[in-house]
Amino acid sequence: MPQKDTLQSKDLALPSRFRVMLQQAIRYGVGIGILCALWLVGLHLTDNNAFGPKRVLLYFAVPVAVVLSQWSLRRAMPGGKPGLLRALGMGALTTVMAATLVALGVIALGKIAGEPALERNRREMMYLARADRKAMVKQAGSEEGYNRQMAYWAQLSAQDIAQNDFSKILLLGLIFAVPGGIFFRE
């Protein structure tokens, strides 16, 4: 009978650590995701292009939140040493939550703002590409590559922008999660 009590106390220790991780991921991942979505709404409400270059600031906010979540996990974890796998998992969980909310925010803004806002973004992107045509041709590899890029921008949708944001935020967040996890493992 005492063995059963020992097993139950060990079983309770794992969920409490997971609960701490989940709380920190929700606090930082969902928090920064909501802040980024509010940034997009703020850009739109102030008559800025919410789908344009100012959106790039989102890419830098999430890695900061990832490292802060790992630091916070270290402080909240019983014993103060979450270990490498938990710290890396914390960074990954925070990144996935934030990237998902940002992508959902872009899609929602695309639905709310409608086609006029997306058309404005397309016009601005194509204007910038035409202004820097020589560099774009060089980057695309040929005139044909440049024309393909222009055709892509001509039909750009909110889902395309959301997918792009999701992948870039996910990549940056995971890149920053590795050194943060190593540093905050103990």
Side-chain angles (χ1 to χ4, degrees):
M1 190 86 162
Q3 292 175 345
K4 188 174 183 180
D5 290 336
T6 307
L7 290 176
Q8 287 178 350
S9 66
K10 286 182 183 178
D11 290 341
L12 292 177
L14 290 176
S16 69
R17 288 184 178 193
F18 180 73
R19 192 174 322 119
V20 169
M21 284 181 65
L22 192 58
Q23 287 171 345
Q24 299 304 319
I26 289 171
R27 179 175 292 139
Y28 288 94
V30 172
I32 198 68
I34 290 171
L35 283 175
C36 290
L38 289 174
W39 170 254
L40 292 173
V41 170
L43 285 174
H44 179 68
L45 291 176
T46 58
D47 204 30
N48 286 293
N49 183 1
F51 302 108
K54 291 180 183 174
R55 185 184 86 253
V56 173
L57 291 174
L58 303 175
Y59 300 162
F60 302 112
V62 174
V64 171
V66 167
V67 173
L68 285 174
S69 72
Q70 291 171 323
W71 173 76
S72 177
L73 176 68
R74 179 179 170 188
R75 293 178 47 102
M77 187 64 67
K81 294 183 179 185
L84 182 61
L85 289 179
R86 281 192 191 98
L88 290 174
M90 181 78 240
L93 191 58
T94 303
T95 300
V96 168
M97 285 183 174
T100 301
L101 284 175
V102 169
L104 290 174
V106 169
I107 291 171
L109 183 63
K111 298 264 188 220
I112 293 168
E115 190 59 34
L118 290 166
E119 184 59 36
R120 175 184 174 191
N121 179 56
R122 290 183 202 117
R123 279 194 316 269
E124 285 183 18
M125 294 296 288
M126 293 176 77
Y127 174 78
L128 292 173
R130 285 188 197 107
D132 200 20
R133 183 182 180 126
K134 189 181 284 187
M136 287 289 297
V137 169
K138 191 176 187 179
Q139 182 182 7
S142 66
E143 188 72 32
E144 183 181 316
Y146 170 78
N147 291 335
R148 276 195 308 266
Q149 187 67 37
M150 294 296 281
Y152 172 75
W153 281 336
Q155 63 172 351
L156 195 64
S157 69
Q159 288 80 10
D160 296 331
I161 296 169
Q163 183 179 5
N164 183 33
D165 285 352
F166 180 82
S167 61
K168 287 182 180 176
I169 289 172
L170 191 66
L171 180 65
L172 277 173
L174 292 176
I175 286 172
F176 276 80
V178 173
I182 291 169
F183 185 75
F184 293 120
R185 73 184 185 274
E186 290 185 13

